[in-house]
Amino acid sequence: MASSSDRVLNAGVLGATGTVGQRFIVLLAQNPMFRIHSLGASERSAGRPYRQATKWKMSELMPEEVRDVAVKPCDPAHFAGCDVIFSGLDASVAGDIEKAFMEGDFAVFSNAKNYRMVPNVPLCVPVVNTDHYSLISGQRAHYGLKKGFVVTNSNCSTSGLVVPLKALQDRFGPLNRVIVTTLQAISGAGYPGVASLDILDNIVPLISGEEPKMEAEVLKILGGVNDSATACVPLSGLKVSATCNRVPVVDGHTECVSVEFAGTPPSIEEIKQCLRDYTCEAQDIGCYSAPKQVISVTDEEDRPQPRLDRNAGEGMSVTVGRIRECSVFHVKFTLLVHNTVLGAAGASILNAEYAAKKGFL
């Protein structure tokens, strides 16, 4: 399969005016593998220059190259010339639109939840389970496509959790039980997001639908693929319990995790070294967005903290600290993930880089 990684790929962004779409634009504008070709949004935004169609919410300035780009409807007919489609669409509209682009023979990298649990769709955190790309050939055969496919990235909170779990599973064998409590940033709710009277001076102990998503996605991501490469086989031996909270932090999801191993537990020092040593295939093949250190282990007793640690590895690393024995399970720790980078747009972009390097584009 010939690699397309030696040429600049034309990228289309769906949902370009939303906060995930804006993060896609910021990251793509800095990435030498991609050229922003087309921007799609709702019918009310179509035809307007991007600078007029969007309420820019990123801390970075709007890239000059997109300011005067005319926004298009999210219809495959308007995206001719794109090599790859990034979807930041809300789940309420993503399903039909992403399917239309896939059936139009586009490679679609989605941040939405709609296709994550479909058995022949890779649910891929690109520093964890790129082996699930073996599903693409079967997906294409199922839909009668030559080039098109859908790859999804995970829920933003799942993306941080599965990274250290994957490292521990690979080194020490099966995990038995995991309990995770999340403290999730408001940017995860999009814009306008959580009302100020609900979140200021407050913690909201419910993010609708988040807990079952985390519990199911972890099992699919850490699972395997069947012998015919037509479906994912989720883990059957691991049980995950998640409690999700919204907190008054702008970016960066904090997660408090307890883990029980199925076998003899390793020592705390062995666990720390395992996390430090963890590498992924995206690093090995030289993907531009792959972090130098997938897991940043901190020994400072009061870290990680969102304001101090969310940008580790340009937002693509997971920071893990407070690694210690657990009196109920075997080990407990605190992790931090940048929810709009590795937890959203950054994961989709690294997924596409990997796909290009491996010849899927």
Side-chain angles (χ1 to χ4, degrees):
M1 205 181 294
S3 172
S4 55
S5 63
D6 57 349
R7 63 184 177 89
V8 177
L9 300 172
N10 288 331
V13 179
L14 307 178
T17 58
T19 52
V20 175
Q22 291 176 27
R23 180 62 69 184
F24 271 123
I25 287 169
V26 167
L27 296 176
L28 289 169
Q30 302 167 355
N31 193 309
M33 287 188 65
F34 302 100
R35 177 189 304 111
I36 299 174
H37 182 278
S38 299
L39 302 178
S42 65
E43 291 289 343
R44 70 176 178 272
S45 298
R48 301 171 65 189
Y50 184 71
R51 57 185 166 78
Q52 295 179 3
T54 188
K55 291 183 177 180
W56 190 254
K57 295 298 175 182
M58 299 292 104
S59 57
E60 300 88 348
L61 294 176
M62 183 186 296
E64 285 295 326
E65 60 263 41
V66 302
R67 291 179 61 83
D68 294 316
V69 171
V71 175
K72 301 175 180 181
C74 292
D75 184 320
H78 296 284
F79 283 73
C82 288
D83 300 299
V84 58
I85 300 295
F86 295 105
S87 174
L89 292 167
D90 186 81
S92 62
V93 297
D96 290 343
I97 294 173
E98 291 175 359
K99 183 179 180 182
F101 274 85
M102 182 265 290
E103 292 178 341
D105 234 11
F106 288 94
V108 179
F109 294 86
S110 171
N111 185 68
K113 67 179 181 181
N114 303 63
Y115 296 105
R116 286 177 186 161
M117 300 309 294
V118 175
N120 67 356
V121 172
L123 171 58
C124 189
V125 176
V127 295
V128 172
N129 64 322
T130 48
D131 56 308
H132 288 198
Y133 271 71
S134 61
L135 293 167
I136 288 176
S137 59
Q139 188 188 133
R140 284 171 169 166
H142 178 78
Y143 291 103
L145 302 172
K146 293 182 179 180
K147 298 186 297 181
F149 60 84
V150 175
V151 170
T152 68
N153 53 272
S154 73
N155 177 271
C156 47
S157 50
T158 305
S159 66
L161 178 60
V162 294
V163 178
L165 295 187
K166 172 66 169 176
L168 296 174
Q169 176 180 274
D170 284 356
R171 178 72 63 88
F172 303 117
L175 309 177
N176 192 34
R177 291 184 291 180
V178 172
I179 293 179
V180 57
T181 299
T182 71
L183 308 170
Q184 296 182 221
I186 58 173
S187 57
Y191 179 82
V194 185
S196 58
L197 284 176
D198 288 334
I199 199 62
L200 291 176
D201 188 33
N202 203 24
I203 291 174
V204 181
L206 172 69
I207 303 174
S208 182
E210 196 85 349
E211 293 164 2
K213 278 191 290 187
M214 281 193 78
E215 293 167 359
E217 289 178 14
V218 168
L219 301 183
K220 182 175 180 181
I221 293 165
L222 296 181
V225 172
N226 65 10
D227 291 341
S228 60
T230 56
C232 179
V233 182
L235 282 182
S236 58
L238 173 63
K239 293 182 179 180
V240 180
S241 177
T243 301
C244 298
N245 306 275
R246 189 73 71 191
V247 299
V249 169
V250 175
D251 286 318
H253 288 355
T254 302
E255 305 181 20
C256 302
V257 185
S258 292
V259 177
E260 181 183 64
F261 294 90
T264 303
S267 70
I268 296 302
E269 286 307 313
E270 288 173 326
I271 289 170
K272 288 181 179 180
Q273 195 58 50
C274 163
L275 299 179
R276 291 190 180 101
D277 291 345
Y278 180 74
T279 61
C280 65
E281 189 182 3
Q283 293 171 304
D284 297 339
I285 64 175
C287 291
Y288 176 80
S289 298
K292 292 181 179 179
Q293 189 75 31
V294 179
I295 301 173
S296 176
V297 176
T298 175
D299 289 320
E300 296 179 62
E301 63 181 7
D302 61 349
R303 302 280 282 276
Q305 297 179 27
R307 188 157 46 88
L308 302 179
D309 297 301
R310 60 192 168 210
N311 291 318
E314 304 298 323
M316 294 296 287
S317 297
V318 174
T319 302
V320 178
R322 302 208 67 215
I323 304 169
R324 61 214 192 275
E325 290 184 4
C326 177
S327 60
V328 177
F329 289 173
H330 291 133
V331 64
K332 56 186 176 181
F333 53 83
T334 301
L335 69 83
L336 182 76
V337 61
H338 197 306
N339 55 292
T340 71
V341 186
L342 183 61
S348 286
I349 292 171
L350 183 51
N351 274 331
E353 293 173 17
Y354 178 86
K357 290 277 189 183
K358 300 297 282 190
F360 290 101
L361 300 181

